[in-house]
Amino acid sequence: MTKITIRGNMATALGAKLSRPDVVPAYPITPSTLFPEKISEYIADGEMDAEMIRVESEHSAMSACIGASACGARVCTASASQGIALMSEMMFIAAGMRLPIVMAVGNRALAAPINIWCDHQDTISQRDTGWLQFYAEKNQEGLDLMIIAFKVCEDKRVLLPGMVGIDAFVLTHTIEAVDVPEQNLVDEFLPKYKPELYLDPNKPMTFGSFGTPEFYQEFKYAQVKAIEKASEVIDEVFAEFKKKFGREYKKIVPYKCEDADVIILTMGSMSGTARAAVNKMREEGKKVGCCKLTVYRPFPGKEIVDLTKNAKVIAVLDRDISPGFGGALYGEVAAQFINTSKHPLITNYIIGLGGRDVLIEDFEEIYDKSTDAVKKGRVEKPVEWIHLNQEVL
Amino acid sequence: MVKITLGAINEVAGSSKNYKTGNWRTLKPIIDKEKCKKCWICYKFCPEGCIKKTDDGPVTDYDYCKGCGICANECPFKAIQMVMEER
């Protein structure tokens, strides 16, 4: 195994290269541009045997992905923000047609106002497309999760597309040391994709055909059963990955949660900052822990409940906002507890939108606000915005 | 019983013929053979391709005719009447 220092986009591109995709249709967009650039370079240098399709938009990129995947090719692409918004229509189709396309995402805010920085709104807004969603904390995870995503998505029990999110700039453009898995081990881990049925001019058939009211609901039910099954498959693939490459992945990773009164729930790059903040607060005698969500779809609701049920309060951090409600993750975590008789208080903090830095002191503020709710025995303001500059409002 | 397939794959090519869309119809085109001059404008305009050319003049395939009325609208001799479908 070799160790190299690379930017996040290069890590996901390298993860893609090691997975040996046959076709890569992609349309460059900040902060993911380096991904198609790197793939194009790999192909030009003869390091990668794939067809790169230069498309005229992200909608076309996803359309080409669907066509290629239906032909039985292993397919990947990359995008972010507005690009994913434009792809949205085709993303539903990719999932409904049960095509295991893998997309690397540089998680970025959505306009207006135009903003190229880190935010989870782009992928969170696509949570109902039927794609699996993985969120990386660091570049190594970006690389590994690409390989893992292919294996999970192509599993016959799943057959669904999936995306791997790495935070814009914080990861996409930040250089970190990364262990590069050996190609022969990746080949053993991820054999060639062989779908049972594929488009072939010599044997014409229809993919994604008409679904009348008599059958549409059953198609959707089968699709939902597959993503639910993915939960089990992800555990198996994580275990196999650990055996092969030594690195451990979990859908949700707890840190100092056993005796914690306050548990902070995070996704993406801020999870490392959360652990540093927990360390600092633990030294001050505060009973606090944190949990990082690596898999957002399928939603690991049971795992979240098991890890957090004994806390006094769960502070859910959302780098996204569902206007008129609150954070998406908050709503989903709260829903997991609704039918339990006794559960922790649940607070929600909107943080780091549009690339605003997430700092250790923010976690201290979140801890203070959450413990205040515990003292009062109720949450007065469930959704709070951290680091909001009232002066400019 | 028909079973749903993975990703709505239909392995039989050209099977849309099996789906008879004629039952979508509320108005039915009736061709008056006396008025018909066999100009075949209806045949050319039918978006479903379900007007057949015969020696006897145009014949509507009611298995697939959705009753859109384009044939009646285009007929220069007013030889096609749209009448309420009765089933």
Side-chain angles (χ1 to χ4, degrees):
Chain A
M1 196 182 286
T2 41
K3 202 179 252 311
I4 56 170
T5 51
I6 48 172
R7 280 170 279 178
N9 276 329
M10 285 174 69
T12 48
L14 189 53
K17 177 188 169 234
L18 288 164
S19 305
R20 297 191 192 273
D22 304 296
V23 182
V24 186
Y27 191 84
I29 183 168
T30 302
S32 294
T33 305
L34 199 67
F35 182 100
E37 278 179 11
K38 200 66 203 168
I39 297 287
S40 162
E41 200 179 300
Y42 285 140
I43 295 171
D45 291 348
E47 287 180 47
M48 195 172 162
D49 181 21
E51 185 79 28
M52 177 133 193
I53 308 179
R54 287 158 187 84
V55 285
E56 66 272 28
S57 76
E58 287 86 355
H59 191 280
S60 313
M62 189 45 63
S63 303
C65 284
I66 290 168
S69 185
C71 288
R74 178 172 288 159
V75 185
C76 79
T77 186
S79 196
S81 181
Q82 313 302 128
I84 292 180
L86 183 56
M87 272 182 188
S88 182
E89 182 198 8
M90 302 315 290
M91 286 167 65
F92 279 93
I93 293 171
M97 285 174 67
R98 311 289 301 273
L99 301 171
I101 299 158
V102 172
M103 172 158 64
V105 178
N107 282 113
R108 167 187 151 184
L110 276 155
I114 190 103
N115 175 300
I116 58 170
W117 293 276
C118 176
D119 192 310
H120 294 159
Q121 193 75 27
D122 53 359
T123 47
I124 292 287
S125 69
Q126 302 302 317
R127 65 176 185 180
D128 299 335
T129 52
W131 284 54
L132 276 68
Q133 291 200 358
F134 299 88
Y135 289 82
E137 181 198 327
K138 48 195 174 187
N139 292 353
Q140 181 74 61
E141 293 186 5
L143 189 160
D144 292 345
L145 287 170
M146 285 297 286
I147 302 168
I148 288 167
F150 275 112
K151 190 162 174 79
V152 175
C153 292
E154 289 174 6
D155 190 287
K156 287 199 166 27
R157 295 165 290 173
V158 180
L159 287 170
L160 285 169
M163 60 179 85
V164 176
I166 59 171
D167 283 353
F169 297 100
V170 183
L171 295 181
T172 58
H173 289 62
T174 301
I175 294 174
E176 283 183 339
V178 161
D179 280 331
V180 184
E182 301 290 347
Q183 182 69 65
N184 63 327
L185 293 182
V186 178
D187 291 345
E188 282 169 25
F189 179 77
L190 184 68
K192 202 171 162 46
Y193 171 52
K194 281 183 191 155
E196 278 170 27
L197 296 174
Y198 51 88
L199 286 177
D200 179 354
N202 296 318
K203 193 183 179 304
M205 55 179 84
T206 309
F207 273 53
S209 62
F210 207 47
T212 55
E214 304 157 81
F215 299 112
Y216 184 85
Q217 201 158 293
E218 284 70 24
F219 276 114
K220 287 295 129 182
Y221 182 78
Q223 191 185 325
V224 167
K225 284 286 139 194
I227 198 164
E228 283 173 9
K229 192 73 187 169
S231 184
E232 202 179 305
V233 176
I234 288 168
D235 285 336
E236 286 173 26
V237 173
F238 280 171
E240 201 182 326
F241 188 89
K242 191 192 172 193
K243 220 171 147 190
K244 199 116 200 143
F245 303 101
R247 285 183 293 279
E248 185 173 38
Y249 286 92
K250 281 181 180 170
K251 285 182 268 193
I252 174 165
V253 184
Y255 184 71
K256 300 193 176 174
C257 285
E258 300 82 8
D259 64 335
D261 289 337
V262 180
I263 293 179
I264 300 168
L265 199 58
T266 59
M267 297 205 305
S269 62
M270 69 162 102
S271 308
T273 317
R275 286 196 302 277
V278 165
N279 285 344
K280 183 169 183 252
M281 289 188 276
R282 280 278 175 177
E283 277 174 26
E284 294 159 4
K286 294 167 181 165
K287 286 171 82 177
V288 56
C290 58
C291 274
K292 165 179 80 173
L293 219 65
T294 302
V295 179
Y296 177 70
R297 278 291 181 278
F299 193 67
K302 192 186 165 293
E303 289 86 344
I304 290 176
V305 170
D306 287 346
L307 284 168
T308 58
K309 63 180 179 221
N310 295 323
K312 289 184 175 142
V313 58
I314 310 168
V316 182
L317 273 58
D318 269 286
R319 210 164 190 164
D320 62 82
I321 178 75
S322 178
F325 173 71
L329 183 57
Y330 160 65
E332 299 186 4
V333 170
Q336 304 306 313
F337 285 101
I338 198 69
N339 289 322
T340 56
S341 54
K342 191 178 164 287
H343 59 77
L345 294 174
I346 303 172
T347 55
N348 185 210
Y349 303 95
I350 307 301
I351 190 166
L353 297 189
R356 184 158 300 177
D357 282 339
V358 178
L359 309 170
I360 287 183
E361 63 215 52
D362 296 338
F363 288 97
E364 293 177 311
E365 185 185 336
I366 286 161
Y367 172 85
D368 290 342
K369 285 194 154 108
S370 301
T371 40
D372 196 44
V374 174
K375 273 177 211 152
K376 287 181 182 150
R378 65 180 193 283
V379 180
E380 280 170 352
K381 208 177 153 197
V383 184
E384 287 209 49
W385 292 56
I386 297 297
H387 237 124
L388 193 68
N389 184 358
Q390 294 285 358
E391 283 174 21
V392 301
L393 283 169
Chain B
M1 186 63 197
V2 180
K3 292 273 185 192
I4 62 159
T5 56
L6 185 92
I9 293 175
N10 184 346
E11 289 185 63
V12 185
S15 62
S16 60
K17 269 190 205 159
N18 302 340
Y19 188 56
K20 294 190 176 168
T21 48
N23 65 358
W24 296 14
R25 198 169 54 233
T26 41
L27 291 173
K28 184 178 184 177
I30 306 289
I31 303 171
D32 184 342
K33 283 180 191 169
E34 300 292 310
K35 289 185 185 169
C36 176
K37 303 286 184 289
K38 298 185 190 177
C39 69
W40 308 114
I41 283 179
C42 58
Y43 164 84
K44 287 171 191 161
F45 272 84
C46 175
E48 294 295 321
C50 60
I51 296 177
K52 285 189 176 65
K53 266 182 168 179
T54 72
D55 292 343
D56 211 21
V59 174
T60 308
D61 185 344
Y62 291 117
D63 278 350
Y64 302 103
C65 168
K66 292 170 182 164
C68 70
I70 289 175
C71 54
N73 192 58
E74 294 299 332
C75 179
F77 309 105
K78 306 277 173 240
I80 306 176
Q81 293 301 311
M82 298 302 292
V83 302
M84 193 54 77
E85 180 74 56
E86 279 173 31
R87 284 196 190 91

